[in-house]
Amino acid sequence: MKLISLLLILSFCICAHNAQSQNNLTLFPKNNATDVNPDAQLKITFNTSIVFGNKGKIRIYDALTNILVDSLDMSIPPGPRNTRTPSPYDTLKYLGVPDVTYTVNKPDRDTSHIYQLNYIGGNEFYDACHFFPVLINDRTATITLHNNHLKYNKTYYVNIDPEVFPLKDGSFPGISDKTTWVFATKATPPSNYNDYLVVAADGSGDFNTVQGAFDFIPDNNTDHKTIVIKNGIYEEMVVLKSKHNLTILGEDRDNTIIRYPNNGVFNYRRYEFTIHGCNDINLVNFSTISVGDAPAQAEGLCIKGNRNQVHNVTVIGSGDAVQAGGTVFMSHSSIKGYGDNVLGAGIFFNQCDFITTYGPHLWARNSKGNPGYVLNNCRLWKEGDGEAIVSTFARAPIKSNYSFPFTETILLNCAIDDIPPGGWGESTDPCVGSHCWEYNSVNLKDGSPADISQRVPYSRQLSMENDSQIIANYSNPEFFLKGWKPQYYPKILSKPTIIEVSEGAKTKLMAEVAAAPIPTYQWFKNGILMEGQESSVLIIDPVTASDGGVYSVEIENELGNDRGNVVTLVVNNTPE
């Protein structure tokens, strides 16, 4: 009897310790949560610093049948370690693969190495991607299950071996029962007739992940659907393949962020956000970011298809940032990368920002008779110090081991900074078939005419006197994109803000917009039309006390118009 009593007491103490330990965790979805989206990522927030291991498993079971439906084995490395591998994976060692950091020049070509695999965007061989089963941000661990393993109208429980999170104080004994972390999924998916779907990381929408919404859309669909992405950080690679006629609309450009530490060493499919073989896609008002500080082949956006539009989107990648094919209209967006920031062909850029941290802004690879790039009213500059950063407009059409003799890169009314005197890359060939043309470039800092006296011989300066028809043609997206006329109903995307400036200062007011064809602008102050203020940028120089007020803008094109408040300007009486 004494032995039995002792065992019961010991068992009770262990259970009490486990319960107390789990009370120190914040689980998402919460224990006993219902109406959970099957695509939800699991999250654990600890009350202490996370220690992550290379042992143990995370398992998901069907609560009704106790059948294992998914398993993540931490002893399998996520993929080839590289210079962008996030902590703590950059220090972990695994059996079966060498303790080596691979690079673009020295990738892992040993096919015997076993890595984590997840199928993204499809179930074919080329849809398999290496991935991180757990990503650590501060004290929160985000767990990514294999796509499409959880189903609707099911109840699941989660088990986690203690070796997965071997906390230094031993406060995580693991989860090994059927009751500590249980959740039930929604009874049914959204209706296929819904033309409006919502993604929300907190689970309040139709899907938790962007990929979950993409997977829901049937291949080769014909009905237009809008996928709204609520503010949040979405830690995922996303792939949209063979789907059409969609608008992906973020709630706020700066606060709707899709990001992942992907790159060309980690995956052959090196892009963060992939659109492949898709037509009539509109990307609007969010950020897509390839995570990592070290240079890599790591596009933030790959977009290949016809009649695709990108409005008010931030793209951050690294050698390259954007890769494109087909026909694309990109407006009021920014592209930042390590060099060759735009690769491919077929993009008309309107009022976009180009930021390089190392090399050329562009590398057009169009064939004869097909569109390369037009930059209309864009801005180009570099970030970083030192003469080693050479931010030319673009690579030369022909040089040494590469040749794209019909390269087309045309700059119209662009503001530039830190562009070398030659403008374009040095060539080993006259490049007689290329269109490396420039019209009315000005200095970004003060708007004065750019010095074009030393441009490379194969480039050409356009003038209104001699080339008015060329300038008019290439200012027209429909002409450049071979008959496709981009169309998007005008929409003001700016959230009203308050800014404070000093008397005597100079300020610029701009609105974030989405519209195609390119809209006209009209500014208003306190609801009263401002005569002559019809530019996309309202410049006040110098600011006076009377300039304080509420500024709004109306944009209009042939599809309609939209009007919205942009900024409340507060003038500080203290002179600058």
Side-chain angles (χ1 to χ4, degrees):
M1 281 296 292
K2 289 183 178 180
L3 178 60
I4 294 174
S5 298
L6 183 61
L7 289 173
L8 288 173
I9 293 171
L10 181 60
S11 175
F12 173 79
C13 291
I14 292 174
C15 291
H17 173 70
N18 287 343
Q20 184 178 5
S21 297
Q22 307 314 330
N23 288 335
N24 294 329
L25 305 175
T26 301
L27 304 175
F28 178 85
K30 292 181 179 179
N31 187 36
N32 294 318
T34 58
D35 290 328
V36 175
N37 293 313
D39 66 316
Q41 293 174 316
L42 310 183
K43 296 184 180 183
I44 307 178
T45 301
F46 296 83
N47 65 353
T48 186
S49 297
I50 296 178
V51 178
F52 179 63
N54 58 358
K55 298 178 182 178
K57 293 181 179 180
I58 300 171
R59 302 177 181 86
I60 314 295
Y61 293 89
D62 185 312
L64 181 64
T65 64
N66 294 316
I67 293 175
L68 180 68
V69 297
D70 199 8
S71 177
L72 300 170
D73 187 344
M74 300 304 110
S75 69
I76 301 173
R81 186 196 302 167
N82 59 83
T83 56
R84 284 190 152 206
T85 298
S87 176
Y89 290 100
D90 56 341
T91 60
L92 296 177
K93 298 179 181 180
Y94 296 90
L95 295 176
V97 297
D99 186 20
V100 171
T101 298
Y102 295 98
T103 65
V104 172
N105 295 326
K106 293 184 179 179
D108 184 5
R109 302 188 186 280
D110 191 333
T111 57
S112 69
H113 294 163
I114 304 300
Y115 296 114
Q116 300 276 359
L117 284 180
N118 196 7
Y119 286 82
I120 305 176
N123 298 308
E124 305 296 331
F125 171 79
Y126 47 78
D127 297 315
C129 296
H130 302 139
F131 79 110
F132 297 96
V134 179
L135 285 172
I136 308 297
N137 289 292
D138 195 21
R139 294 184 177 183
T140 297
T142 299
I143 300 168
T144 299
L145 304 177
H146 293 97
N147 285 352
N148 302 309
H149 277 46
L150 303 190
K151 306 300 180 183
Y152 287 94
N153 199 30
K154 292 282 188 178
T155 300
Y156 299 99
Y157 63 87
V158 183
N159 281 179
I160 303 177
D161 292 339
E163 296 88 351
V164 175
F165 300 110
L167 304 187
K168 294 179 180 179
D169 62 1
S171 61
F172 181 71
I175 300 174
S176 56
D177 58 75
K178 303 177 182 180
T179 59
T180 297
W181 197 358
V182 185
F183 61 88
T185 58
K186 290 179 176 178
T188 59
S191 169
N192 284 321
Y193 295 103
N194 287 1
D195 57 8
Y196 187 88
L197 302 167
V198 177
V199 178
D202 64 2
S204 60
D206 300 300
F207 303 94
N208 284 55
T209 64
V210 178
Q211 190 61 49
F214 286 177
D215 289 344
F216 176 75
I217 305 296
D219 288 352
N220 300 308
N221 61 298
T222 56
D223 294 337
H224 181 269
K225 293 185 184 296
T226 297
I227 299 172
V228 174
I229 309 175
K230 305 295 283 185
N231 285 348
I233 295 176
Y234 298 84
E235 303 267 12
E236 51 177 323
M237 289 180 283
V238 294
V239 178
L240 186 66
K241 187 177 70 172
S242 302
K243 304 183 184 190
H244 316 293
N245 207 18
L246 301 174
T247 294
I248 295 93
L249 174 64
E251 181 179 1
D252 181 272
R253 176 173 174 172
D254 296 326
N255 295 301
T256 304
I257 300 171
I258 307 166
R259 70 183 190 187
Y260 205 77
N262 194 24
N263 59 77
V265 181
F266 189 64
N267 273 308
Y268 176 76
R269 182 191 280 171
R270 65 199 195 191
Y271 324 112
E272 155 52 20
F273 194 121
T274 303
I275 295 177
H276 186 75
C278 301
N279 304 323
D280 303 299
I281 304 297
N282 304 315
L283 306 182
V284 186
N285 209 36
F286 61 88
S287 295
T288 172
I289 300 173
S290 181
V291 176
D293 294 327
Q297 296 294 115
E299 285 91 337
L301 173 65
C302 174
I303 182 166
K304 295 185 177 181
N306 294 311
R307 303 179 303 277
N308 294 320
Q309 300 184 53
V310 182
H311 296 280
N312 204 53
V313 170
T314 296
V315 182
I316 299 177
S318 176
D320 318 296
V322 171
Q323 188 172 143
T327 50
V328 181
F329 178 77
M330 191 166 187
S331 183
H332 288 86
S333 297
S334 67
I335 300 160
K336 180 179 179 180
Y338 186 69
D340 298 332
N341 288 345
V342 184
L343 182 69
I347 310 182
F348 188 103
F349 295 98
N350 176 61
Q351 289 186 245
C352 291
D353 290 340
F354 296 81
I355 308 102
T356 181
T357 59
Y358 184 74
H361 288 283
L362 306 153
W363 190 1
R365 291 180 164 189
N366 57 287
S367 55
K368 186 177 182 179
N370 291 311
Y373 305 134
V374 165
L375 280 65
N376 180 58
N377 288 298
C378 293
R379 305 189 300 175
L380 302 90
W381 71 91
K382 75 176 184 182
E383 288 185 359
D385 299 323
E387 297 298 324
I389 302 175
V390 181
S391 55
T392 58
F393 292 136
R395 283 182 181 254
I398 301 172
K399 187 174 182 181
S400 58
N401 63 339
Y402 61 81
S403 177
F404 298 94
F406 303 104
T407 287
E408 183 174 62
T409 302
I410 300 170
L411 282 76
L412 306 174
N413 302 303
C414 290
I416 63 175
D417 193 26
D418 287 312
I419 297 294
W424 316 77
E426 296 293 333
S427 177
T428 55
D429 187 273
C431 306
V432 294
S434 66
H435 290 172
C436 296
W437 299 346
E438 183 181 4
Y439 170 70
N440 193 36
S441 294
V442 299
N443 291 309
L444 178 61
K445 292 177 180 177
D446 59 13
S448 62
D451 182 2
I452 58 174
S453 61
Q454 300 181 55
R455 293 293 192 249
V456 296
Y458 66 81
S459 68
R460 176 181 171 184
Q461 290 295 315
L462 304 177
S463 70
M464 191 58 69
E465 180 182 1
N466 299 319
D467 307 297
S468 59
Q469 192 59 56
I470 291 176
I471 294 167
N473 286 341
Y474 281 94
S475 298
N476 179 6
E478 186 176 359
F479 171 86
F480 174 71
L481 298 170
K482 303 302 181 185
W484 170 49
K485 184 176 183 177
Q487 293 191 316
Y488 193 85
Y489 195 91
K491 185 176 180 62
I492 302 288
L493 299 170
S494 296
K495 301 292 178 64
T497 59
I498 300 174
I499 63 172
E500 184 175 341
V501 296
S502 299
E503 282 193 69
K506 177 181 179 180
T507 189
K508 295 181 180 181
L509 306 183
M510 294 181 290
E512 295 180 340
V513 308
I518 298 169
T520 60
Y521 291 76
Q522 176 60 63
W523 287 89
F524 298 79
K525 178 186 174 185
N526 296 328
I528 300 173
L529 184 145
M530 301 176 70
E531 294 287 349
Q533 297 297 341
E534 299 174 354
S535 172
S536 60
V537 180
L538 175 61
I539 300 175
I540 306 175
D541 183 21
V543 172
T544 66
S546 63
D547 290 317
V550 178
Y551 290 82
S552 59
V553 67
E554 182 177 64
I555 60 173
E556 182 175 9
N557 64 18
E558 62 191 49
L559 301 179
N561 59 28
D562 191 23
R563 181 172 169 179
N565 290 343
V566 175
V567 63
T568 298
L569 188 67
V570 178
V571 180
N572 187 332
N573 292 328
T574 303
E576 186 179 37

